[in-house]
Amino acid sequence: RKEVEQDPGPFNVPEGATVAFNCTYSNSASQSFFWYRQDCRKEPKLLMSVYSSGNEDGRFTAQLNRASQYISLLIRDSKLSDSATYLCVVRNTGNQFYFGTGTSLTVIP
Amino acid sequence: DTEVTQTPKHLVMGMTNKKSLKCEQHMGHRAMYWYKQKAKKPPELMFVYSYEKLSINESVPSRFSPECPNSSLLNLHLHALQPEDSALYLCASSPWTGKMDTEAFFGQGTRLTVV
């Protein structure tokens, strides 16, 4: 069983749309959670950490449900520059970072 | 300095060659990682070093040999690779503290082609 499972996508949405990505993790002892963004042929970069109380950064909202082992990312008012692959990442007690399969987002003019 | 620097950026090697990938960070991070990423796939964890000691080997073939000479440097020695080992190799680092919500910082990667 994979450590992290994620919506496969791809998602093709018009500018201004709201889009949501989901992710589940298998290890209930996982310690911390992140969303990374990866542009084509670039390295992954942190988009935001995910906290138990939920957190927001501008147009981006992340939620964590520890009971269901579920993480989500909501992007409001999508911009062309949001087109990328979004990766759910889980850090466990051994300090390993495991990646979900990634969801490809294309925002269309 | 919040960078992880990897060299070289591109590498082409034959199946009988020996080469090394290098990674450097000066953020004082005591956890360092090697990941392998194939096209249209997520990064896959290969090795974890903590305080310069190998703590995790994700069943990686012995033709990949990691080395951590000091707290700032991480190498990946390559020998007798196969064409299917062609991929983007990413190095990452992270603080090793009780504050578990700290993220991993990634280098730009080495794009390896085995011919």
Side-chain angles (χ1 to χ4, degrees):
Chain A
R1 186 179 177 187
K2 288 187 178 179
E3 292 275 342
V4 187
E5 301 271 7
Q6 192 175 343
D7 277 351
F11 285 66
N12 300 310
V13 302
E15 271 186 291
T18 295
V19 61
F21 304 139
N22 303 313
C23 172
T24 57
Y25 59 96
S26 60
N27 185 348
S28 59
S30 295
Q31 293 287 321
S32 40
F33 311 90
F34 310 91
W35 284 101
Y36 276 72
R37 169 191 170 134
Q38 188 171 25
D39 293 287
C40 187
R41 301 182 72 81
K42 299 283 190 183
E43 75 275 22
K45 291 188 176 176
L46 180 70
L47 178 66
M48 60 196 301
S49 300
V50 187
Y51 302 118
S52 297
S53 54
N55 48 300
E56 189 174 304
D57 183 2
R59 298 180 293 108
F60 300 86
T61 301
Q63 298 277 353
L64 167 65
N65 184 323
R66 283 191 182 269
S68 303
Q69 296 178 204
Y70 173 91
I71 306 159
S72 66
L73 176 69
L74 185 76
I75 305 176
R76 291 181 300 278
D77 189 23
S78 299
K79 312 289 185 194
L80 296 176
S81 57
D82 293 335
S83 297
T85 296
Y86 290 83
L87 296 151
C88 174
V89 180
V90 171
R91 181 177 189 171
N92 68 14
T93 53
N95 267 299
Q96 298 110 304
F97 289 83
Y98 289 108
F99 284 76
T101 49
T103 303
S104 174
L105 172 66
T106 301
V107 180
I108 304 162
Chain B
D1 183 359
T2 57
E3 279 191 348
V4 177
T5 303
Q6 287 187 245
T7 55
K9 289 192 169 27
H10 300 275
L11 179 62
V12 179
M13 63 184 288
M15 289 188 283
T16 58
N17 291 160
K18 287 185 181 180
K19 295 285 184 185
S20 296
L21 310 185
K22 297 187 183 301
C23 175
E24 189 169 3
Q25 57 88 15
H26 295 288
M27 294 178 278
H29 292 171
R30 305 310 294 270
M32 295 187 76
Y33 309 81
W34 280 114
Y35 283 83
K36 173 182 177 179
Q37 187 174 24
K38 302 282 277 184
K40 298 190 185 301
K41 298 288 187 183
E44 290 181 7
L45 183 63
M46 300 174 73
F47 302 105
V48 181
Y49 270 82
S50 57
Y51 288 88
E52 296 92 69
K53 291 193 181 345
L54 182 65
S55 58
I56 302 285
N57 176 341
E58 294 277 350
S59 303
V60 179
S62 60
R63 57 185 185 270
F64 295 92
S65 175
E67 179 198 19
C68 191
N70 60 54
S71 59
S72 300
L73 294 174
L74 185 66
N75 299 323
L76 185 63
H77 303 298
L78 314 172
H79 173 54
L81 295 195
Q82 303 297 311
E84 58 265 30
D85 295 323
S86 299
L88 179 69
Y89 287 84
L90 292 160
C91 174
S93 71
S94 180
W96 188 286
T97 68
K99 194 169 180 291
M100 289 296 293
D101 61 350
T102 47
E103 74 268 26
F105 295 79
F106 284 82
Q108 292 185 326
T110 294
R111 197 161 295 278
L112 174 68
T113 303
V114 182
V115 297

